[in-house]
């Protein structure tokens, strides 16, 4: 899939720079993030568009000892009995139809290839997967929930809120990696965070200062060209 060349003669706006420099970062520095930075991000993110202004999101932000207790418990669950945990929703269908299955295969090849992990090196792949449980060693771990009584429409709103968080974080020099993987450990989250029973864990997110070495050599995920997803009329 070819990357979309930026053909426009217009300068990128500041916001567009931030949008295009965001990437799912799985390598972080051991550097704390101040509470004021987190509240600044949340202050901005709460302005996300939301149908009928119902603002269906909730987010639990953890760092320090609270994050360590959480990640220790999730890692233990993952190592001892991963089969006993499952997400309360299905993220992707099985089988995944085309062109999505090909894109997922390409993601695996690009990402694991960049780490020198061969397709059939299952121990190395599962070691990398396990890093999800530690929020990829980022200093901040977030958990996003939604009220289970709401419908698909509100999940759109939550996605916009999450995107706002990623962009506001990037604007403050922080990287993120959203993680659907950890939604399967919602029972563990319930033991460590004050989730109400109507809250459904949708995903989590690692956040922190990215490792600059990795930023330099990271692979850029291929993005579909405009022609592949947009249909323009009347221009
Ligand atoms: C909702 C959502 C869930 C994701 N879940 C995971 C995950 O569980 N683990 C992971 O390593 N990356 C996860 N990612 C990151 C994607 O793999 C990444 O966004 C995608 O490959 C595109 O790469 P880019 O974000 O660097 O452009 C997730 C991203 C999103 C938006």
């Amino acid at each position: 899939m070819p990357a979309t060349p930026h053909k426009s003669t217009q300068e990128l706006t500041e916001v567009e720079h931030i949008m295009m420099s965001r990437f799912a970062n799985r390598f972080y520095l051991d550097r704390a993030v101040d509470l004021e930075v987190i509240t600044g991000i949340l202050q901005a993110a709460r302005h996300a568009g939301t149908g009928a202004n119902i603002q269906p999101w909730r987010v639990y932000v953890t760092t320090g000892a609270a994050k360590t207790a959480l990640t220790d418990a999730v890692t233990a669950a993952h190592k001892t009995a991963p089969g006993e945990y499952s997400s309360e929703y299905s993220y992707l269908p099985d089988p995944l139809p085309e062109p999505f299955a090909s894109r997922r295969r390409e993601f695996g090849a690009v990402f694991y290839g960049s780490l020198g992990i061969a397709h059939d090196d299952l121990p190395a792949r599962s070691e990398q997967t396990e890093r999800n449980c530690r929020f990829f060693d980022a200093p901040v771990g977030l958990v996003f929930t939604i009220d289970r009584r709401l419908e698909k429409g509100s999940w759109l709103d939550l996605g916009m809120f999450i995107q706002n968080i990623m962009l506001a974080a990037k604007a403050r020099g922080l990287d993120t990696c959203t993680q659907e993987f950890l939604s399967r450990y919602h029972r563990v989250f319930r033991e460590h965070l004050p989730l109400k029973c109507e809250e459904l864990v949708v995903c989590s997110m690692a956040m922190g200062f990215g490792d600059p070495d990795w930023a330099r050599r990271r692979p850029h995920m291929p993005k579909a060209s405009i022609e592949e997803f947009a249909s323009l009329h009347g221009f």
Side-chain angles (χ1 to χ4, degrees):
M1 198 185 307
T4 309
H6 186 71
K7 290 188 188 134
S8 169
T9 50
Q10 292 176 30
E11 286 289 304
L12 289 179
T13 65
E14 209 178 315
V15 172
E16 286 163 348
H17 264 298
I18 293 165
M19 288 164 67
M20 293 169 73
S21 60
R22 183 218 57 83
F23 67 100
N25 200 344
R26 300 173 181 88
F27 297 94
Y28 291 90
L29 297 179
D30 180 14
R31 179 178 161 195
V33 179
D34 292 340
L35 176 62
E36 298 75 58
V37 175
I38 297 294
T39 51
I41 291 167
L42 297 175
Q43 282 285 3
R46 73 198 171 102
H47 291 274
T50 160
N53 200 32
I54 73 161
Q55 307 166 67
W57 43 77
R58 278 202 72 81
V59 60
Y60 297 83
V61 189
T62 68
T63 193
K67 193 207 78 171
T68 304
L70 189 61
T71 54
D72 283 355
V74 171
T75 304
H78 181 71
K79 278 189 169 161
T80 52
E84 286 180 17
Y85 297 88
S86 61
S87 177
E88 292 195 89
Y89 73 101
S90 174
Y91 189 76
L92 290 173
D94 185 14
L96 189 58
E98 288 297 342
F100 315 111
S102 295
R103 289 178 185 164
R104 179 168 62 179
R105 264 196 306 280
E106 188 180 36
F107 156 73
V110 170
F111 178 60
Y112 290 112
S114 72
L115 296 175
I117 298 174
H119 180 69
D120 55 358
D121 188 348
L122 298 184
R125 285 174 82 112
S126 73
E127 203 176 302
Q128 180 56 38
T129 299
E130 192 183 303
R131 296 188 61 245
N132 271 282
C133 301
R134 304 197 308 270
F135 294 113
F136 300 106
D137 302 309
V140 179
L142 300 89
V143 178
F144 295 91
T145 72
I146 197 163
D147 190 312
R148 67 179 73 250
R149 295 168 296 184
L150 295 174
E151 292 286 357
K152 280 181 186 165
S154 297
W155 288 58
L156 288 177
D157 300 340
L158 176 64
M160 294 182 201
F161 176 69
I162 293 170
Q163 177 75 356
N164 265 5
I165 289 200
M166 291 196 280
L167 297 182
K170 191 74 200 170
R172 287 165 171 77
L174 293 167
D175 284 345
T176 53
C177 184
T178 305
Q179 306 167 275
E180 63 84 19
F181 179 82
L182 290 188
S183 65
R184 73 192 65 183
Y185 294 113
H186 59 94
R187 285 195 279 128
V188 182
F189 291 134
R190 281 179 205 290
E191 287 165 14
H192 289 262
L193 299 168
L195 269 67
K196 297 199 182 89
C197 58
E198 67 267 20
E199 285 182 77
L200 187 155
V201 174
V202 177
C203 62
S204 60
M205 181 189 285
M207 182 188 288
F209 294 98
D211 177 346
D213 285 345
W214 174 250
R216 267 190 294 278
R217 59 193 172 86
R218 75 175 178 95
H220 290 247
M221 281 300 153
K223 303 294 177 188
S225 65
I226 293 172
E227 292 71 24
E228 285 176 87
F229 65 85
S231 170
L232 308 177
H233 307 268
F235 288 93

